[in-house]
Amino acid sequence: MKTTQRPGWTPSRLREHREAHGLTLEAAGERLRQAASRHGLAVPAANFQTLWGHEQGTIFPGPHYRRAYCLLYQATEPELGFRPPLPSESQKAEIVISELPAPTDPATDNAAAQVIEEAFTKVSVGGIELGDTPQALLRARVVDAWRRRHGGGSPKPILVLVGGYAGSGKTEFSRFLSDITGWAFLDKDSLTRFIVERLLISLGGDPHDRHTDLYLKEVRPLEYRCLMETAWDNLNVGTSTILSAPFIAELNDEAWFARLENRCAAKGIDVAAIWVRCDTDSMREYIEFRAAARDAWKLSNWDQYATGLKVETSPPTAHVTVDNRLGAAISLADQTREALKRILS
């Protein structure tokens, strides 16, 4: 039997976890589909042949399969043998759901806040510095938003920009922030893609172009303006808003960001920038998995595209850098959501 080669992959770990849970392949497939359904993940079939291939090392599980496995077995990717741990990543999942207080316990909200604080700290490169640092203040705002949804907290709205390269996981991390804070979530592609494609066609271009001067100079500025104007509509009525977009040029332009901060300050709005850092191999896997037409040029010219990415640094205006190399931050976000569901159910 041919085994797929993947650095650090130990397929037998999946079988060990399945057997430790007392599951047959068929039962594990059913549980896997249930976990995927709860979290909106695409896990086609999840039949015993596919799971057998995962355990035998002939099929490497795709991103959604890996996330569903982590949720099913309440374990991290390194624990399940999908990859080696990152240098700063714990081998052992530290969110122990059974130890959290029951919903009737008056400490429930504090326990949930602690889970959120720990998750935010773990996904931030270099951790969170104490005091009035941008990282600590943003984390406090996230926790404050959780408390507001349960009575109390600051009514001051906040604008959060979540940027990163294509396939870095910025949209998933934005959804995670929105889930736990209740802040409005706006994704650039969802908001503007159909208009952008029609505009490119009307200008004689390719509807899926995202790299030529036609898109960069004629279309992209309007795309981002639509995104920002929609954000202002929310913020002007006191609704905190999370924006998910690459923001590569914007967050690298300190003058642009200073103007944004000044406008927000004049309106009594806080502003924070989050950069989602990821490795090129993981980004390519995510891009291939989502199979979006707008990514065709990137995949066809991957080496050329990847050489222009600065994956080891963050834009100068970023308040927090989230470490999503090998999908570590998104995996932790999934487990945090699951923990909060258990607390509140």
Side-chain angles (χ1 to χ4, degrees):
M1 180 180 295
K2 183 179 179 181
T3 301
T4 301
Q5 296 300 312
R6 194 85 179 193
W9 182 27
T10 310
S12 60
R13 295 271 188 85
L14 274 180
R15 176 180 55 79
E16 293 168 1
H17 277 265
R18 175 175 60 79
E19 292 178 349
H21 281 72
L23 298 173
T24 63
L25 284 168
E26 291 84 354
E30 177 63 26
R31 297 274 292 276
L32 203 65
R33 289 190 293 272
Q34 292 173 359
S37 176
R38 288 199 308 272
H39 291 266
L41 304 175
V43 178
N47 54 39
F48 74 91
Q49 294 99 332
T50 301
L51 270 63
W52 175 256
H54 293 165
E55 293 184 3
Q56 295 302 305
T58 58
I59 305 171
F60 185 71
H64 282 203
Y65 264 110
R66 298 198 301 273
R67 290 172 63 185
Y69 275 124
C70 289
L71 291 166
L72 172 60
Y73 296 131
Q74 298 180 26
T76 64
E77 286 203 5
E79 286 181 294
L80 294 177
F82 295 137
R83 58 175 173 82
L86 297 173
S88 59
E89 187 177 14
S90 171
Q91 275 280 86
K92 181 67 178 175
E94 296 179 6
I95 300 174
V96 183
I97 297 174
S98 61
E99 295 181 358
L100 294 175
T104 54
D105 191 310
T108 296
D109 280 354
N110 287 333
Q114 184 177 355
V115 169
I116 295 166
E117 282 190 357
E118 290 175 354
F120 204 86
T121 301
K122 289 174 184 175
V123 301
S124 301
V125 174
I128 301 291
E129 295 180 12
L130 300 178
D132 292 334
T133 63
Q135 302 100 318
L137 292 173
L138 178 57
R139 183 181 64 180
R141 286 302 308 271
V142 171
V143 175
D144 177 71
W146 168 266
R147 295 186 184 282
R148 282 177 59 194
R149 297 179 73 185
H150 295 78
S154 170
K156 191 175 183 182
I158 184 172
L159 171 63
V160 181
L161 310 183
V162 181
Y165 295 116
S168 62
K170 58 185 178 294
T171 300
E172 285 288 351
F173 191 77
S174 298
R175 287 197 183 102
F176 167 62
L177 278 183
S178 181
D179 282 349
I180 62 176
T181 61
W183 298 339
F185 165 51
L186 299 176
D187 178 73
K188 177 182 71 66
D189 288 328
S190 299
L191 190 67
T192 66
R193 185 175 73 250
F194 297 109
I195 295 175
V196 166
E197 291 176 357
R198 187 66 187 88
L199 180 55
L200 284 165
I201 292 172
S202 70
L203 294 173
D206 179 349
H208 308 307
D209 169 25
R210 297 297 185 275
H211 65 283
T212 70
D213 282 348
L214 176 63
Y215 168 74
L216 295 173
K217 295 181 178 179
E218 300 296 330
V219 178
R220 186 184 185 280
L222 300 176
E223 185 180 23
Y224 274 78
R225 182 173 178 180
C226 288
L227 179 66
M228 295 305 298
E229 289 300 322
T230 307
W232 291 123
D233 286 342
N234 280 323
L235 294 163
N236 287 337
V237 294
T239 301
S240 293
T241 304
I242 302 165
L243 302 184
S244 174
F247 287 117
I248 296 168
E250 290 74 14
L251 295 183
N252 279 287
D253 185 346
E254 295 185 67
W256 179 89
F257 196 77
R259 291 193 296 272
L260 177 65
E261 288 182 310
N262 290 338
R263 182 175 179 181
C264 286
K267 293 175 174 285
I269 298 168
D270 288 338
V271 61
I274 298 175
W275 181 255
V276 181
R277 184 184 297 176
C278 195
D279 58 288
T280 54
D281 287 343
S282 295
M283 285 190 283
R284 179 166 187 168
E285 182 185 33
Y286 298 154
I287 290 172
E288 289 175 338
F289 180 79
R290 71 187 182 192
R294 64 185 180 276
D295 296 321
W297 182 88
K298 297 183 186 74
L299 293 174
S300 298
N301 302 271
W302 184 257
D303 290 341
Q304 177 185 346
Y305 169 72
T307 55
L309 306 182
K310 300 178 181 178
V311 296
E312 299 300 327
T313 60
S314 304
T317 59
H319 296 126
V320 173
T321 296
V322 169
D323 188 352
N324 195 38
R325 289 174 296 170
L326 305 176
I330 299 306
S331 178
L332 181 63
D334 283 337
Q335 294 192 48
T336 302
R337 284 191 185 99
E338 190 75 0
L340 294 175
K341 286 180 181 179
R342 290 287 295 273
I343 291 171
L344 300 173
S345 62

